[in-house]
Amino acid sequence: MYRRVAIIGGGAAAAALLSELLERQPPQPLHIDWYTGGGTPARGVAYGTRSDRHLLNVRAASMSMFAGKPRGFLDFAQRGDHTIAGTDFLPRRLYGDYLEAEVTRALERAQADGHDVRVLPFAADAVVPEQDGVTVIHGEENTRVDAAVLALGSLPPQPLSGVSDAALASGQYVTEPWGFLAEAKPDARPLKVVLIGLGLTAVDVLLELATLWPNASFEAISRHGLLPEPHLENASAPADDGADLVEAMREAPEIRRWFHLLREAATHAADWRTVIDSLRPHTPSLWALLPKDERARFLRHARWAWERVRHRMAPQVMTALQALEHEGRLHRRCGRLQAADVAGEKLRLQVRHAHDVACDTVDADVVIQTVGLNTDVRRTQHALVRQLATNGHITPDPLGLGCMGTVEGRLQHDGSTWPHFYAIGTLLRGVLWESTAMPEIRQQARQLTDRLLDA
Ligand SMILES: Cc1cc2nc3c(=O)[nH]c(=O)nc-3n(C[C@H](O)[C@H](O)[C@H](O)COP(=O)(O)OP(=O)(O)OC[C@H]3O[C@@H](n4cnc5c(N)ncnc54)[C@H](O)[C@@H]3O)c2cc1C
């Protein structure tokens, strides 16, 4: 068993791992250094929102942070309101309350049980993994631990190519939507707001700003101009466990074939969503079968379609967006951003539709880039990840999906696997593909705890 462990990251993945470790009541005292990076520990990016318009995109019954206590979040929510059902899509703020409450409980219990947990409200500056342990560096302090786990979430967003320095300097082109929403103030002026990207991040931004800025109109630009699909009000029971489909996919690991199989299965299902959901437990093993060129093909041609059906929004969110469209406040456009520059008081965008040679010009007061999670370790500004990559301590995934590692979460460098250096969550996207949402993260937390306590 490792006696000294560092957990680096302050979001839900770190909280799930810490709570799982302490929940097990390890027989010997543990020393855990938890580097939370600032902000409220446990909430991270997704659950730091204070807006009740920001809903979970997973039903309450599936959002426990513990793999062994599936009703965890639902019980917490029902203690505050017994009318809540397991099929409800609850505010992410409430989920943040749950994470915080569980972490507080775990820390109190740790103290009573004689474990030593230091909650360090700052970022780790550097990490040096070695064969017999890991050194974590913050400022002047070097701390040697038996094992370290990176729980850093996704990387800071980067501006799209074609966005001029002047556009970025103007403050009207926003690359980091969450910080922007947290600071945004009510505005009575008519504003034209353009969103680049039309996934769940865009949906959050639309709901929030449409209320905060009642005179604003919105144009959302994406390759296909389509919103994420909604969940149904009531969850459909799957017709079967999807075993035949998974078997057929295993036999032919090619993206074109897989989409053919998926479409076929969906046409025979009462609700296509059940087909998509049936793949979820099998996704890592299916992903592992795909050769690199097939993965690249998926990312180029099919990722957008997969994300739309896999990352669905709550039905009431869809209703709110449809209302915005009916009021004429939200327009969707197909196209790709080619350039963004300052034009007087506004930003001027050049947007090209796939089949056109010429670009359309779109003027906007504010442009918000909502293109989804950044996982590209090769080009990141994240100081710790850059330090690790520059020093060859981690190897970036060649397709920009986090870093190389094993399915158990051990990180790799130059083809070798570190014995005591791990990751959990989004950094493992290239290894597992499904590695960002709580249902996967809590499984990883459980398995990683087994490894940390059995070592
Ligand atoms: C808007 C949004 C909505 C979502 N909704 C859902 C949902 O409804 N259901 C679901 O299951 N999943 C949802 N997800 C997926 C979500 O990614 C996970 O549920 C979960 O929040 C991931 O947590 P994390 O800890 O991996 O990452 P994060 O929440 O990003 O946390 C990473 C933390 O690491 C810290 N950090 C960074 N660098 C350092 C450093 N050097 N040292 C120390 N700390 C550092 C950061 O400050 C941050 O606190 C959503 C994601 C987003 C972005």
Side-chain angles (χ1 to χ4, degrees), residues 45-47 49 51 53-57 92 177-178 181 195 198-211 218 228 313 317 321 324 368 370:
V45 178
Y47 312 113
T49 175
S51 169
R53 281 181 285 278
H54 292 160
L55 300 183
L56 293 169
N57 52 44
R92 295 209 302 270
W178 307 112
L181 282 190
L195 277 76
L198 204 36
L200 291 175
T201 305
V203 167
D204 270 8
V205 172
L206 281 167
L207 293 181
E208 202 56 21
L209 290 186
T211 308
F218 299 88
M313 55 187 166
V317 171
L321 292 177
L324 277 181
I368 307 177
T370 50

PDB file of all heavy atoms in Angstrom, residues 45-47 49 51 53-57 92 177-178 181 195 198-211 218 228 313 317 321 324 368 370:
ATOM      1  N   VAL A  45     -14.647  22.877 -12.856  1.00  0.00           N
ATOM      2  CA  VAL A  45     -15.232  23.736 -13.882  1.00  0.00           C
ATOM      3  C   VAL A  45     -16.738  23.490 -14.008  1.00  0.00           C
ATOM      4  O   VAL A  45     -17.543  24.420 -14.010  1.00  0.00           O
ATOM      5  CB  VAL A  45     -14.549  23.450 -15.244  1.00  0.00           C
ATOM      6  CG1 VAL A  45     -15.175  24.286 -16.351  1.00  0.00           C
ATOM      7  CG2 VAL A  45     -13.054  23.702 -15.153  1.00  0.00           C
ATOM      8  N   ALA A  46     -17.126  22.234 -14.065  1.00  0.00           N
ATOM      9  CA  ALA A  46     -18.518  21.918 -14.412  1.00  0.00           C
ATOM     10  C   ALA A  46     -19.499  22.260 -13.301  1.00  0.00           C
ATOM     11  O   ALA A  46     -20.618  22.704 -13.565  1.00  0.00           O
ATOM     12  CB  ALA A  46     -18.632  20.425 -14.745  1.00  0.00           C
ATOM     13  N   TYR A  47     -19.095  22.071 -12.053  1.00  0.00           N
ATOM     14  CA  TYR A  47     -20.051  22.194 -10.947  1.00  0.00           C
ATOM     15  C   TYR A  47     -19.785  23.437 -10.109  1.00  0.00           C
ATOM     16  O   TYR A  47     -20.329  23.568  -9.007  1.00  0.00           O
ATOM     17  CB  TYR A  47     -20.037  20.906 -10.107  1.00  0.00           C
ATOM     18  CG  TYR A  47     -20.122  19.697 -11.020  1.00  0.00           C
ATOM     19  CD1 TYR A  47     -19.059  18.813 -11.155  1.00  0.00           C
ATOM     20  CD2 TYR A  47     -21.248  19.505 -11.815  1.00  0.00           C
ATOM     21  CE1 TYR A  47     -19.118  17.745 -12.048  1.00  0.00           C
ATOM     22  CE2 TYR A  47     -21.316  18.450 -12.708  1.00  0.00           C
ATOM     23  CZ  TYR A  47     -20.243  17.573 -12.817  1.00  0.00           C
ATOM     24  OH  TYR A  47     -20.308  16.537 -13.703  1.00  0.00           O
ATOM     25  N   THR A  49     -20.647  26.343 -11.327  1.00  0.00           N
ATOM     26  CA  THR A  49     -21.680  27.307 -11.731  1.00  0.00           C
ATOM     27  C   THR A  49     -22.682  27.528 -10.598  1.00  0.00           C
ATOM     28  O   THR A  49     -23.008  26.601  -9.865  1.00  0.00           O
ATOM     29  CB  THR A  49     -22.417  26.831 -13.009  1.00  0.00           C
ATOM     30  OG1 THR A  49     -23.486  27.754 -13.274  1.00  0.00           O
ATOM     31  CG2 THR A  49     -23.004  25.441 -12.870  1.00  0.00           C
ATOM     32  N   SER A  51     -25.600  29.001 -11.460  1.00  0.00           N
ATOM     33  CA  SER A  51     -26.852  29.225 -12.182  1.00  0.00           C
ATOM     34  C   SER A  51     -27.727  27.973 -12.161  1.00  0.00           C
ATOM     35  O   SER A  51     -27.275  26.885 -12.528  1.00  0.00           O
ATOM     36  CB  SER A  51     -26.544  29.585 -13.638  1.00  0.00           C
ATOM     37  OG  SER A  51     -27.735  29.551 -14.393  1.00  0.00           O
ATOM     38  N   ARG A  53     -29.991  27.499 -14.208  1.00  0.00           N
ATOM     39  CA  ARG A  53     -30.305  27.144 -15.600  1.00  0.00           C
ATOM     40  C   ARG A  53     -29.335  26.089 -16.127  1.00  0.00           C
ATOM     41  O   ARG A  53     -29.584  25.464 -17.141  1.00  0.00           O
ATOM     42  CB  ARG A  53     -30.228  28.389 -16.492  1.00  0.00           C
ATOM     43  CG  ARG A  53     -31.439  29.277 -16.397  1.00  0.00           C
ATOM     44  CD  ARG A  53     -31.305  30.476 -17.314  1.00  0.00           C
ATOM     45  NE  ARG A  53     -30.372  31.439 -16.775  1.00  0.00           N
ATOM     46  CZ  ARG A  53     -30.683  32.345 -15.852  1.00  0.00           C
ATOM     47  NH1 ARG A  53     -31.907  32.410 -15.392  1.00  0.00           N
ATOM     48  NH2 ARG A  53     -29.777  33.182 -15.388  1.00  0.00           N
ATOM     49  N   HIS A  54     -28.221  25.915 -15.462  1.00  0.00           N
ATOM     50  CA  HIS A  54     -27.226  24.927 -15.917  1.00  0.00           C
ATOM     51  C   HIS A  54     -27.546  23.576 -15.292  1.00  0.00           C
ATOM     52  O   HIS A  54     -27.312  23.351 -14.104  1.00  0.00           O
ATOM     53  CB  HIS A  54     -25.818  25.381 -15.533  1.00  0.00           C
ATOM     54  CG  HIS A  54     -25.391  26.597 -16.292  1.00  0.00           C
ATOM     55  ND1 HIS A  54     -24.390  27.429 -15.877  1.00  0.00           N
ATOM     56  CD2 HIS A  54     -25.852  27.119 -17.448  1.00  0.00           C
ATOM     57  CE1 HIS A  54     -24.242  28.412 -16.755  1.00  0.00           C
ATOM     58  NE2 HIS A  54     -25.125  28.242 -17.714  1.00  0.00           N
ATOM     59  N   LEU A  55     -28.079  22.698 -16.110  1.00  0.00           N
ATOM     60  CA  LEU A  55     -28.543  21.404 -15.601  1.00  0.00           C
ATOM     61  C   LEU A  55     -27.533  20.306 -15.907  1.00  0.00           C
ATOM     62  O   LEU A  55     -26.790  20.385 -16.894  1.00  0.00           O
ATOM     63  CB  LEU A  55     -29.881  21.034 -16.251  1.00  0.00           C
ATOM     64  CG  LEU A  55     -31.040  21.997 -16.015  1.00  0.00           C
ATOM     65  CD1 LEU A  55     -32.312  21.451 -16.656  1.00  0.00           C
ATOM     66  CD2 LEU A  55     -31.263  22.266 -14.534  1.00  0.00           C
ATOM     67  N   LEU A  56     -27.551  19.276 -15.085  1.00  0.00           N
ATOM     68  CA  LEU A  56     -26.795  18.057 -15.395  1.00  0.00           C
ATOM     69  C   LEU A  56     -27.342  17.485 -16.694  1.00  0.00           C
ATOM     70  O   LEU A  56     -28.541  17.581 -16.967  1.00  0.00           O
ATOM     71  CB  LEU A  56     -26.968  17.038 -14.273  1.00  0.00           C
ATOM     72  CG  LEU A  56     -26.346  17.413 -12.926  1.00  0.00           C
ATOM     73  CD1 LEU A  56     -26.832  16.452 -11.847  1.00  0.00           C
ATOM     74  CD2 LEU A  56     -24.821  17.391 -13.015  1.00  0.00           C
ATOM     75  N   ASN A  57     -26.468  16.873 -17.476  1.00  0.00           N
ATOM     76  CA  ASN A  57     -26.966  16.209 -18.679  1.00  0.00           C
ATOM     77  C   ASN A  57     -27.071  14.696 -18.466  1.00  0.00           C
ATOM     78  O   ASN A  57     -27.226  13.939 -19.411  1.00  0.00           O
ATOM     79  CB  ASN A  57     -26.104  16.558 -19.900  1.00  0.00           C
ATOM     80  CG  ASN A  57     -24.644  16.326 -19.646  1.00  0.00           C
ATOM     81  OD1 ASN A  57     -24.278  15.293 -19.082  1.00  0.00           O
ATOM     82  ND2 ASN A  57     -23.790  17.252 -20.033  1.00  0.00           N
ATOM     83  N   ARG A  92     -26.588  21.661 -11.886  1.00  0.00           N
ATOM     84  CA  ARG A  92     -25.199  21.281 -11.599  1.00  0.00           C
ATOM     85  C   ARG A  92     -24.729  21.906 -10.284  1.00  0.00           C
ATOM     86  O   ARG A  92     -23.854  21.383  -9.614  1.00  0.00           O
ATOM     87  CB  ARG A  92     -24.283  21.716 -12.758  1.00  0.00           C
ATOM     88  CG  ARG A  92     -24.576  20.994 -14.059  1.00  0.00           C
ATOM     89  CD  ARG A  92     -23.322  20.876 -14.925  1.00  0.00           C
ATOM     90  NE  ARG A  92     -22.721  22.138 -15.263  1.00  0.00           N
ATOM     91  CZ  ARG A  92     -23.025  22.855 -16.336  1.00  0.00           C
ATOM     92  NH1 ARG A  92     -23.926  22.415 -17.203  1.00  0.00           N
ATOM     93  NH2 ARG A  92     -22.423  23.993 -16.580  1.00  0.00           N
ATOM     94  N   PRO A 177     -15.268  30.408 -22.007  1.00  0.00           N
ATOM     95  CA  PRO A 177     -16.649  30.813 -21.719  1.00  0.00           C
ATOM     96  C   PRO A 177     -17.018  30.801 -20.238  1.00  0.00           C
ATOM     97  O   PRO A 177     -17.820  31.618 -19.802  1.00  0.00           O
ATOM     98  CB  PRO A 177     -17.505  29.785 -22.484  1.00  0.00           C
ATOM     99  CG  PRO A 177     -16.594  28.743 -22.980  1.00  0.00           C
ATOM    100  CD  PRO A 177     -15.177  29.221 -22.853  1.00  0.00           C
ATOM    101  N   TRP A 178     -16.412  29.895 -19.441  1.00  0.00           N
ATOM    102  CA  TRP A 178     -16.867  29.780 -18.040  1.00  0.00           C
ATOM    103  C   TRP A 178     -16.474  30.984 -17.222  1.00  0.00           C
ATOM    104  O   TRP A 178     -17.288  31.531 -16.473  1.00  0.00           O
ATOM    105  CB  TRP A 178     -16.327  28.489 -17.414  1.00  0.00           C
ATOM    106  CG  TRP A 178     -16.680  27.342 -18.279  1.00  0.00           C
ATOM    107  CD1 TRP A 178     -15.843  26.566 -19.002  1.00  0.00           C
ATOM    108  CD2 TRP A 178     -18.003  26.901 -18.588  1.00  0.00           C
ATOM    109  NE1 TRP A 178     -16.556  25.673 -19.735  1.00  0.00           N
ATOM    110  CE2 TRP A 178     -17.882  25.860 -19.500  1.00  0.00           C
ATOM    111  CE3 TRP A 178     -19.268  27.306 -18.190  1.00  0.00           C
ATOM    112  CZ2 TRP A 178     -18.979  25.187 -20.015  1.00  0.00           C
ATOM    113  CZ3 TRP A 178     -20.366  26.646 -18.705  1.00  0.00           C
ATOM    114  CH2 TRP A 178     -20.203  25.599 -19.606  1.00  0.00           C
ATOM    115  N   LEU A 181     -18.743  33.869 -18.314  1.00  0.00           N
ATOM    116  CA  LEU A 181     -20.107  33.817 -17.737  1.00  0.00           C
ATOM    117  C   LEU A 181     -20.097  34.225 -16.265  1.00  0.00           C
ATOM    118  O   LEU A 181     -21.006  34.918 -15.799  1.00  0.00           O
ATOM    119  CB  LEU A 181     -20.684  32.398 -17.845  1.00  0.00           C
ATOM    120  CG  LEU A 181     -21.213  31.949 -19.195  1.00  0.00           C
ATOM    121  CD1 LEU A 181     -21.954  30.636 -19.047  1.00  0.00           C
ATOM    122  CD2 LEU A 181     -22.103  32.992 -19.835  1.00  0.00           C
ATOM    123  N   LEU A 195     -21.752  32.645 -31.352  1.00  0.00           N
ATOM    124  CA  LEU A 195     -21.099  31.509 -30.704  1.00  0.00           C
ATOM    125  C   LEU A 195     -20.471  30.631 -31.777  1.00  0.00           C
ATOM    126  O   LEU A 195     -21.123  30.319 -32.784  1.00  0.00           O
ATOM    127  CB  LEU A 195     -22.114  30.677 -29.913  1.00  0.00           C
ATOM    128  CG  LEU A 195     -22.418  31.215 -28.522  1.00  0.00           C
ATOM    129  CD1 LEU A 195     -23.332  32.414 -28.609  1.00  0.00           C
ATOM    130  CD2 LEU A 195     -23.071  30.167 -27.691  1.00  0.00           C
ATOM    131  N   LEU A 198     -21.504  24.409 -31.335  1.00  0.00           N
ATOM    132  CA  LEU A 198     -22.905  24.262 -30.937  1.00  0.00           C
ATOM    133  C   LEU A 198     -23.120  23.005 -30.096  1.00  0.00           C
ATOM    134  O   LEU A 198     -24.100  22.296 -30.259  1.00  0.00           O
ATOM    135  CB  LEU A 198     -23.769  24.234 -32.217  1.00  0.00           C
ATOM    136  CG  LEU A 198     -25.233  24.634 -32.144  1.00  0.00           C
ATOM    137  CD1 LEU A 198     -25.486  25.751 -31.163  1.00  0.00           C
ATOM    138  CD2 LEU A 198     -25.749  25.004 -33.504  1.00  0.00           C
ATOM    139  N   GLY A 199     -22.207  22.767 -29.163  1.00  0.00           N
ATOM    140  CA  GLY A 199     -22.374  21.631 -28.252  1.00  0.00           C
ATOM    141  C   GLY A 199     -22.973  22.095 -26.934  1.00  0.00           C
ATOM    142  O   GLY A 199     -23.599  23.157 -26.843  1.00  0.00           O
ATOM    143  N   LEU A 200     -22.728  21.310 -25.880  1.00  0.00           N
ATOM    144  CA  LEU A 200     -23.359  21.603 -24.591  1.00  0.00           C
ATOM    145  C   LEU A 200     -22.810  22.885 -23.957  1.00  0.00           C
ATOM    146  O   LEU A 200     -23.524  23.550 -23.208  1.00  0.00           O
ATOM    147  CB  LEU A 200     -23.176  20.412 -23.647  1.00  0.00           C
ATOM    148  CG  LEU A 200     -23.972  19.166 -24.058  1.00  0.00           C
ATOM    149  CD1 LEU A 200     -23.648  17.994 -23.134  1.00  0.00           C
ATOM    150  CD2 LEU A 200     -25.466  19.441 -24.052  1.00  0.00           C
ATOM    151  N   THR A 201     -21.562  23.246 -24.266  1.00  0.00           N
ATOM    152  CA  THR A 201     -21.035  24.504 -23.725  1.00  0.00           C
ATOM    153  C   THR A 201     -21.800  25.680 -24.322  1.00  0.00           C
ATOM    154  O   THR A 201     -22.202  26.617 -23.612  1.00  0.00           O
ATOM    155  CB  THR A 201     -19.530  24.635 -24.045  1.00  0.00           C
ATOM    156  OG1 THR A 201     -18.873  23.476 -23.538  1.00  0.00           O
ATOM    157  CG2 THR A 201     -18.932  25.874 -23.416  1.00  0.00           C
ATOM    158  N   ALA A 202     -22.050  25.634 -25.636  1.00  0.00           N
ATOM    159  CA  ALA A 202     -22.808  26.701 -26.288  1.00  0.00           C
ATOM    160  C   ALA A 202     -24.207  26.802 -25.679  1.00  0.00           C
ATOM    161  O   ALA A 202     -24.730  27.894 -25.453  1.00  0.00           O
ATOM    162  CB  ALA A 202     -22.902  26.426 -27.788  1.00  0.00           C
ATOM    163  N   VAL A 203     -24.789  25.660 -25.384  1.00  0.00           N
ATOM    164  CA  VAL A 203     -26.137  25.628 -24.815  1.00  0.00           C
ATOM    165  C   VAL A 203     -26.155  26.361 -23.467  1.00  0.00           C
ATOM    166  O   VAL A 203     -27.021  27.195 -23.196  1.00  0.00           O
ATOM    167  CB  VAL A 203     -26.595  24.158 -24.662  1.00  0.00           C
ATOM    168  CG1 VAL A 203     -27.834  24.055 -23.802  1.00  0.00           C
ATOM    169  CG2 VAL A 203     -26.819  23.540 -26.042  1.00  0.00           C
ATOM    170  N   ASP A 204     -25.173  26.071 -22.615  1.00  0.00           N
ATOM    171  CA  ASP A 204     -25.068  26.765 -21.320  1.00  0.00           C
ATOM    172  C   ASP A 204     -24.959  28.271 -21.505  1.00  0.00           C
ATOM    173  O   ASP A 204     -25.605  29.053 -20.811  1.00  0.00           O
ATOM    174  CB  ASP A 204     -23.796  26.314 -20.603  1.00  0.00           C
ATOM    175  CG  ASP A 204     -24.028  25.104 -19.720  1.00  0.00           C
ATOM    176  OD1 ASP A 204     -25.126  24.530 -19.785  1.00  0.00           O
ATOM    177  OD2 ASP A 204     -23.101  24.743 -18.976  1.00  0.00           O
ATOM    178  N   VAL A 205     -24.088  28.665 -22.434  1.00  0.00           N
ATOM    179  CA  VAL A 205     -23.844  30.098 -22.646  1.00  0.00           C
ATOM    180  C   VAL A 205     -25.124  30.768 -23.145  1.00  0.00           C
ATOM    181  O   VAL A 205     -25.508  31.849 -22.674  1.00  0.00           O
ATOM    182  CB  VAL A 205     -22.684  30.293 -23.662  1.00  0.00           C
ATOM    183  CG1 VAL A 205     -22.535  31.749 -24.053  1.00  0.00           C
ATOM    184  CG2 VAL A 205     -21.377  29.772 -23.071  1.00  0.00           C
ATOM    185  N   LEU A 206     -25.811  30.110 -24.065  1.00  0.00           N
ATOM    186  CA  LEU A 206     -27.052  30.683 -24.615  1.00  0.00           C
ATOM    187  C   LEU A 206     -28.087  30.897 -23.517  1.00  0.00           C
ATOM    188  O   LEU A 206     -28.695  31.967 -23.413  1.00  0.00           O
ATOM    189  CB  LEU A 206     -27.632  29.742 -25.674  1.00  0.00           C
ATOM    190  CG  LEU A 206     -26.967  29.811 -27.047  1.00  0.00           C
ATOM    191  CD1 LEU A 206     -27.410  28.635 -27.908  1.00  0.00           C
ATOM    192  CD2 LEU A 206     -27.323  31.128 -27.719  1.00  0.00           C
ATOM    193  N   LEU A 207     -28.293  29.871 -22.695  1.00  0.00           N
ATOM    194  CA  LEU A 207     -29.332  29.974 -21.659  1.00  0.00           C
ATOM    195  C   LEU A 207     -29.018  31.111 -20.697  1.00  0.00           C
ATOM    196  O   LEU A 207     -29.912  31.860 -20.287  1.00  0.00           O
ATOM    197  CB  LEU A 207     -29.433  28.659 -20.873  1.00  0.00           C
ATOM    198  CG  LEU A 207     -29.938  27.436 -21.637  1.00  0.00           C
ATOM    199  CD1 LEU A 207     -30.002  26.231 -20.718  1.00  0.00           C
ATOM    200  CD2 LEU A 207     -31.302  27.706 -22.252  1.00  0.00           C
ATOM    201  N   GLU A 208     -27.761  31.243 -20.352  1.00  0.00           N
ATOM    202  CA  GLU A 208     -27.378  32.235 -19.356  1.00  0.00           C
ATOM    203  C   GLU A 208     -27.462  33.652 -19.930  1.00  0.00           C
ATOM    204  O   GLU A 208     -28.064  34.543 -19.330  1.00  0.00           O
ATOM    205  CB  GLU A 208     -25.940  31.922 -18.906  1.00  0.00           C
ATOM    206  CG  GLU A 208     -25.559  32.463 -17.574  1.00  0.00           C
ATOM    207  CD  GLU A 208     -26.487  32.034 -16.441  1.00  0.00           C
ATOM    208  OE1 GLU A 208     -27.188  31.013 -16.580  1.00  0.00           O
ATOM    209  OE2 GLU A 208     -26.530  32.766 -15.443  1.00  0.00           O
ATOM    210  N   LEU A 209     -26.855  33.838 -21.104  1.00  0.00           N
ATOM    211  CA  LEU A 209     -26.783  35.201 -21.641  1.00  0.00           C
ATOM    212  C   LEU A 209     -28.132  35.676 -22.163  1.00  0.00           C
ATOM    213  O   LEU A 209     -28.428  36.873 -22.136  1.00  0.00           O
ATOM    214  CB  LEU A 209     -25.727  35.286 -22.745  1.00  0.00           C
ATOM    215  CG  LEU A 209     -24.274  35.162 -22.261  1.00  0.00           C
ATOM    216  CD1 LEU A 209     -23.306  35.401 -23.410  1.00  0.00           C
ATOM    217  CD2 LEU A 209     -23.960  36.144 -21.124  1.00  0.00           C
ATOM    218  N   ALA A 210     -28.979  34.760 -22.616  1.00  0.00           N
ATOM    219  CA  ALA A 210     -30.305  35.172 -23.110  1.00  0.00           C
ATOM    220  C   ALA A 210     -31.106  35.803 -21.983  1.00  0.00           C
ATOM    221  O   ALA A 210     -31.910  36.716 -22.209  1.00  0.00           O
ATOM    222  CB  ALA A 210     -31.046  33.972 -23.689  1.00  0.00           C
ATOM    223  N   THR A 211     -30.886  35.346 -20.754  1.00  0.00           N
ATOM    224  CA  THR A 211     -31.593  35.919 -19.607  1.00  0.00           C
ATOM    225  C   THR A 211     -30.904  37.201 -19.134  1.00  0.00           C
ATOM    226  O   THR A 211     -31.555  38.206 -18.857  1.00  0.00           O
ATOM    227  CB  THR A 211     -31.628  34.892 -18.448  1.00  0.00           C
ATOM    228  OG1 THR A 211     -32.133  33.681 -18.958  1.00  0.00           O
ATOM    229  CG2 THR A 211     -32.498  35.373 -17.307  1.00  0.00           C
ATOM    230  N   PHE A 218     -28.650  36.094 -30.878  1.00  0.00           N
ATOM    231  CA  PHE A 218     -27.555  35.112 -30.902  1.00  0.00           C
ATOM    232  C   PHE A 218     -27.496  34.411 -32.255  1.00  0.00           C
ATOM    233  O   PHE A 218     -28.529  34.041 -32.811  1.00  0.00           O
ATOM    234  CB  PHE A 218     -27.764  34.067 -29.800  1.00  0.00           C
ATOM    235  CG  PHE A 218     -27.786  34.668 -28.426  1.00  0.00           C
ATOM    236  CD1 PHE A 218     -28.970  35.136 -27.867  1.00  0.00           C
ATOM    237  CD2 PHE A 218     -26.615  34.799 -27.704  1.00  0.00           C
ATOM    238  CE1 PHE A 218     -28.988  35.706 -26.611  1.00  0.00           C
ATOM    239  CE2 PHE A 218     -26.616  35.366 -26.442  1.00  0.00           C
ATOM    240  CZ  PHE A 218     -27.809  35.824 -25.891  1.00  0.00           C
ATOM    241  N   PRO A 228     -27.298  19.706 -29.967  1.00  0.00           N
ATOM    242  CA  PRO A 228     -27.246  18.350 -29.409  1.00  0.00           C
ATOM    243  C   PRO A 228     -28.658  17.777 -29.318  1.00  0.00           C
ATOM    244  O   PRO A 228     -29.626  18.526 -29.169  1.00  0.00           O
ATOM    245  CB  PRO A 228     -26.680  18.562 -27.994  1.00  0.00           C
ATOM    246  CG  PRO A 228     -26.050  19.915 -28.012  1.00  0.00           C
ATOM    247  CD  PRO A 228     -26.772  20.726 -29.035  1.00  0.00           C
ATOM    248  N   MET A 313     -28.865  16.773 -24.153  1.00  0.00           N
ATOM    249  CA  MET A 313     -29.248  17.775 -23.142  1.00  0.00           C
ATOM    250  C   MET A 313     -30.593  17.411 -22.531  1.00  0.00           C
ATOM    251  O   MET A 313     -31.374  16.646 -23.109  1.00  0.00           O
ATOM    252  CB  MET A 313     -29.290  19.160 -23.754  1.00  0.00           C
ATOM    253  CG  MET A 313     -30.159  19.302 -24.953  1.00  0.00           C
ATOM    254  SD  MET A 313     -29.912  20.960 -25.633  1.00  0.00           S
ATOM    255  CE  MET A 313     -30.657  20.769 -27.228  1.00  0.00           C
ATOM    256  N   VAL A 317     -34.132  21.875 -21.357  1.00  0.00           N
ATOM    257  CA  VAL A 317     -33.153  22.773 -21.981  1.00  0.00           C
ATOM    258  C   VAL A 317     -33.491  22.930 -23.467  1.00  0.00           C
ATOM    259  O   VAL A 317     -33.465  24.032 -24.021  1.00  0.00           O
ATOM    260  CB  VAL A 317     -31.725  22.215 -21.789  1.00  0.00           C
ATOM    261  CG1 VAL A 317     -30.715  22.985 -22.610  1.00  0.00           C
ATOM    262  CG2 VAL A 317     -31.350  22.253 -20.307  1.00  0.00           C
ATOM    263  N   LEU A 321     -34.400  26.386 -25.593  1.00  0.00           N
ATOM    264  CA  LEU A 321     -33.709  26.812 -26.824  1.00  0.00           C
ATOM    265  C   LEU A 321     -34.702  26.991 -27.972  1.00  0.00           C
ATOM    266  O   LEU A 321     -34.583  27.925 -28.766  1.00  0.00           O
ATOM    267  CB  LEU A 321     -32.647  25.783 -27.216  1.00  0.00           C
ATOM    268  CG  LEU A 321     -31.446  25.679 -26.273  1.00  0.00           C
ATOM    269  CD1 LEU A 321     -30.509  24.586 -26.738  1.00  0.00           C
ATOM    270  CD2 LEU A 321     -30.691  27.009 -26.202  1.00  0.00           C
ATOM    271  N   LEU A 324     -36.278  30.291 -27.700  1.00  0.00           N
ATOM    272  CA  LEU A 324     -35.392  31.364 -28.191  1.00  0.00           C
ATOM    273  C   LEU A 324     -35.441  31.441 -29.724  1.00  0.00           C
ATOM    274  O   LEU A 324     -35.436  32.529 -30.302  1.00  0.00           O
ATOM    275  CB  LEU A 324     -33.947  31.098 -27.770  1.00  0.00           C
ATOM    276  CG  LEU A 324     -33.497  31.523 -26.375  1.00  0.00           C
ATOM    277  CD1 LEU A 324     -32.022  31.183 -26.186  1.00  0.00           C
ATOM    278  CD2 LEU A 324     -33.715  33.013 -26.170  1.00  0.00           C
ATOM    279  N   ILE A 368     -18.088  34.256 -28.794  1.00  0.00           N
ATOM    280  CA  ILE A 368     -17.674  33.319 -27.738  1.00  0.00           C
ATOM    281  C   ILE A 368     -17.368  31.967 -28.371  1.00  0.00           C
ATOM    282  O   ILE A 368     -18.206  31.404 -29.087  1.00  0.00           O
ATOM    283  CB  ILE A 368     -18.789  33.179 -26.662  1.00  0.00           C
ATOM    284  CG1 ILE A 368     -19.185  34.567 -26.155  1.00  0.00           C
ATOM    285  CG2 ILE A 368     -18.305  32.309 -25.507  1.00  0.00           C
ATOM    286  CD1 ILE A 368     -20.305  34.570 -25.156  1.00  0.00           C
ATOM    287  N   THR A 370     -17.058  28.272 -28.276  1.00  0.00           N
ATOM    288  CA  THR A 370     -17.626  27.193 -27.448  1.00  0.00           C
ATOM    289  C   THR A 370     -17.439  25.874 -28.201  1.00  0.00           C
ATOM    290  O   THR A 370     -18.405  25.215 -28.585  1.00  0.00           O
ATOM    291  CB  THR A 370     -19.130  27.451 -27.194  1.00  0.00           C
ATOM    292  OG1 THR A 370     -19.767  27.729 -28.453  1.00  0.00           O
ATOM    293  CG2 THR A 370     -19.351  28.615 -26.268  1.00  0.00           C
TER     294      THR A 370
END
